Amino acid sequence: MSKEPSEDTKFLNEKCEKQKQPELEEDADHLCGFWLFKGPRLQRFASEKIYVVLYGITGCLIAMAFAYFNGTLTTLEKRFRIPSKTSAIISTGNDISTTLSAGFLGYYAGRGHRPRWIAFGQGIVALFCLMMILPHVLYGPGKDGLKLTREYVEMENVTEAENRKLCNKHEDECLGNVVVSWAPIICLFIAQFIGGIGCSLFFTLGLTYMDDNTTRSKTPALLSWSAFLRMLGPAAGFYLSSLCLDFYIRPDLHPLIQKEDPRWLGAWWLGWIVLFFILLISAVVIYMFPKELPSARERRLKSTETNKVQSLAELSFQDMLICIKRLLRNKVYVYNNIASLLYFFGYMPYWMFMPKYIETQYKQSASKATMATGTFGLGFSAAGVLLSGFVISRYKPSARAMAAWNGIVDLLTVAGLIGYVFIGCDGSDSATAMSPYNACSSACHCEYVPFAPICGADNVTYISPCHAGCSSKQQNELGIMEYSDCKCISNSTVVSQPLIAKEGPCPVDCSQPFYTFIAVMCFLKFVGSSGRTSNVLLALRCVADEDKSFALGFGNMVLSLLCFIPSPNFFGWLIDSFCLVWGKDCSSKGNCWLYDTKSWRYSMNLISASCIFCASFWNFGVWYHAKHLKIFDEEAEQKPRELEVLATAAQKKEASQ
């Protein structure tokens, strides 16, 4: 006669059966698609892998949009006469809105249909792209861009404008019809501010949706692949900006200058149209995902920790203050965040101003500078992330080993930045001879003469014919303007001929230092990115599970307030302080046309190196205090099976009796 199972065995068996059987009724929250775009065929796409791929591609597109802005920043400065410190303020608009909205949106939108909120965020980023085109729609290419085209010269009488470039014995007055409007600057800042809200929705909700809808064993691999896909975005953005800047700001016109001329204005607005439509399409795709993936739903029904998770989500303000105090007493957490803050503060100018740096220091075109920054540099960054992820997954280093590697990465970065100091171009550094403050042209009254570089017979570039003291001009058989009777041009190299100069800057060969700089930059990108994975793992493992989400959010808020907002503004001001020639007009200084490249190179690189060198000490502080910190814990993977194991054990016990 068989024994009936005990009450404990019945309870465990019933509980396991309920967890294995998903609910029969499916509602809209668990179905893929919307409106007419739904059906059984779409349900197979509601999986973890499909979401991770689409999430990575979406992140790639968002990063692509902001990288495109950085790639076209120098052209925007020239077109709207914006100094670097003002462009830095514009770029921090997205960080300001992210800081203000991340906590609010994470709390309220996180309780709703997260994929649809993510799609809404993408729509906002698409609106950001549309608003970036608005200044071009309202103000066009500008007179500075049009007057350098063949069509403008043929249609307009440019004799008076050309005469203004020559040496004038009478005191010159500012061009009253040249007015710098603040409207484009305000429009660009608002666009950045709006874009930051969309980014906040994407990153705040996208990661939590991924974490909640994947198994713990798969999460690290899926996160690394999604991060890799997102890192392709900056490379694609810089590449797109390079292609667009190859076209003139009015592609239908024929420019009279070459791309290497500093006055070249590329079609900065063209890429925003492409990005707008791509982001809209991706928003529609993400919108189709269900509130919860079917596989995650089954795991949730099996889990016994649902109530616990829900109770942890409902924190009071007092609980939050207690959590902050707990985090501030955590030395590993505090030291790791300070190290990150100092590192990013020092490295921010290379992310934002790198194309401008290459253009100015090595006399490269805007297109070539953005291509070098994106394709080569960020490609090595992606390789560093993948390799470091593979090494960590394969060899499972300790927390102290990861912290030590982060400190070594800082020191290698410092060495590379000091190397930047000595990688200069003599032809670029000697351009300080173009300084407008010289006794020779002081009687020509060149204060308000527009920037129009000419190459003298002495192979020296001058700011304008006026600054070279030229009083005559003529056009040669090739259509190039030549200037003669230039009293400021040295006559040591030109005997028995008029002291002449040709339109355009003198050719400068900076190819050797440029390629050396690219090699060092790629090395630094690779080394720097290899420390990202270890830095994130330390940040995740040094706090309790219940503090993890808030710890990451609090750390990002501190980084935005103390790094991402002030760092671009500080370095923008620093770069402007080395300007020699401003696009001066009646209302403002405008943008800078000529820099003291040597002083800029020394100051920016040494200040950045100092910040990152200080960061290395804090990373070694993390190494000291991370003695007992566990990075890899296999116990968490077994929790979903605990009930099934207990039920099986109870059955065996009953059978043995």
Side-chain angles (χ1 to χ4, degrees), residues 236-526:
F238 281 116
Y239 181 75
L240 179 62
S241 64
S242 175
L243 292 178
C244 294
L245 293 178
D246 267 340
F247 297 96
Y248 199 61
I249 193 169
R250 274 280 301 271
D252 58 316
L253 301 182
H254 298 82
L256 299 174
I257 58 175
Q258 300 298 318
K259 299 172 187 177
E260 291 73 21
D261 194 299
R263 294 170 294 173
W264 176 273
L265 293 176
W268 62 271
W269 52 272
L270 196 58
W272 293 116
I273 301 175
V274 178
L275 290 167
F276 170 73
F277 286 106
I278 295 177
L279 281 164
L280 275 185
I281 294 172
S282 65
V284 173
V285 175
I286 289 292
Y287 191 87
M288 292 184 179
F289 271 86
K291 185 177 181 180
E292 186 180 35
L293 294 179
S295 57
R297 186 189 187 198
E298 293 180 10
R299 287 191 299 271
R300 177 174 59 82
L301 294 174
K302 294 178 182 179
S303 176
T304 60
E305 297 183 345
T306 303
N307 295 331
K308 181 179 177 182
V309 173
Q310 289 177 350
S311 63
L312 288 174
E314 298 174 358
L315 294 175
S316 66
F317 181 74
Q318 185 177 1
D319 294 331
M320 185 179 67
L321 294 180
I322 295 174
C323 183
I324 292 175
K325 292 180 181 179
R326 189 161 54 243
L327 292 175
L328 294 179
R329 288 195 297 264
N330 187 331
K331 292 184 178 180
V332 175
Y333 175 80
V334 172
Y335 290 2
N336 191 52
N337 275 279
I338 293 177
S340 298
L341 192 153
L342 290 170
Y343 181 88
F344 286 121
F345 191 97
Y347 215 81
M348 275 297 291
Y350 302 99
W351 163 252
M352 181 174 176
F353 297 112
M354 183 60 82
K356 183 185 183 79
Y357 184 90
I358 294 176
E359 286 181 54
T360 307
Q361 295 286 338
Y362 306 107
K363 301 302 178 185
Q364 302 297 316
S365 66
S367 173
K368 194 171 184 179
T370 53
M371 176 70 75
T373 304
T375 305
F376 300 118
L378 294 172
F380 275 82
S381 293
V385 168
L386 284 181
L387 181 60
S388 63
F390 170 77
V391 171
I392 292 174
S393 300
R394 178 72 180 272
Y395 298 102
K396 293 180 171 56
S398 65
R400 298 193 79 180
M402 291 184 183
W405 175 246
N406 288 344
I408 294 172
V409 166
D410 290 343
L411 295 178
L412 291 174
T413 303
V414 169
L417 296 183
I418 293 176
Y420 280 171
V421 172
F422 302 102
I423 306 175
C425 179
D426 293 335
S428 177
D429 292 342
S430 63
T432 54
M434 295 169 60
S435 175
Y437 307 106
N438 60 79
C440 176
S441 62
S442 59
C444 292
H445 306 290
C446 307
E447 184 178 5
Y448 292 105
V449 172
F451 181 74
I454 61 171
C455 182
D458 55 354
N459 202 33
V460 174
T461 301
Y462 295 85
I463 297 172
S464 71
C466 179
H467 291 84
C470 303
S471 56
S472 302
K473 62 179 178 64
Q474 63 277 338
Q475 197 172 35
N476 62 17
E477 62 277 4
L478 299 176
I480 300 175
M481 193 68 68
E482 293 182 345
Y483 302 90
S484 56
D485 299 326
C486 305
K487 61 182 180 179
C488 297
I489 297 179
S490 173
N491 60 0
S492 59
T493 58
V494 281
V495 183
S496 69
Q497 64 173 331
L499 301 180
I500 63 172
K502 292 183 179 181
E503 187 177 21
C506 297
V508 177
D509 185 14
C510 294
S511 57
Q512 183 176 354
F514 170 64
Y515 291 125
T516 304
F517 173 83
I518 292 299
V520 176
M521 181 188 72
C522 291
F523 170 76
L524 290 183
K525 292 283 188 180
F526 179 81

Side-chain angles (χ1 to χ4, degrees), residues 2 17 64 67 69 82 90 98 160 221 255 285 298 341 363 393 400 440 463 479 547 567 580 586 598 627:
S2 61
E17 288 299 324
M64 184 178 175
F69 171 77
I82 305 173
I90 293 172
T98 299
E160 182 179 353
V285 175
E298 293 180 10
L341 192 153
K363 301 302 178 185
S393 300
R400 298 193 79 180
C440 176
I463 297 172
D547 295 339
S567 178
L580 298 175
C586 301
K598 189 173 184 179
K627 300 176 183 178

Side-chain angles (χ1 to χ4, degrees), residues 531-551:
R532 291 186 183 182
T533 304
S534 55
N535 183 271
V536 172
L537 282 173
L538 287 169
L540 289 173
R541 299 295 183 262
C542 70
V543 296
D545 289 342
E546 60 268 22
D547 295 339
K548 193 176 298 182
S549 298
F550 181 76

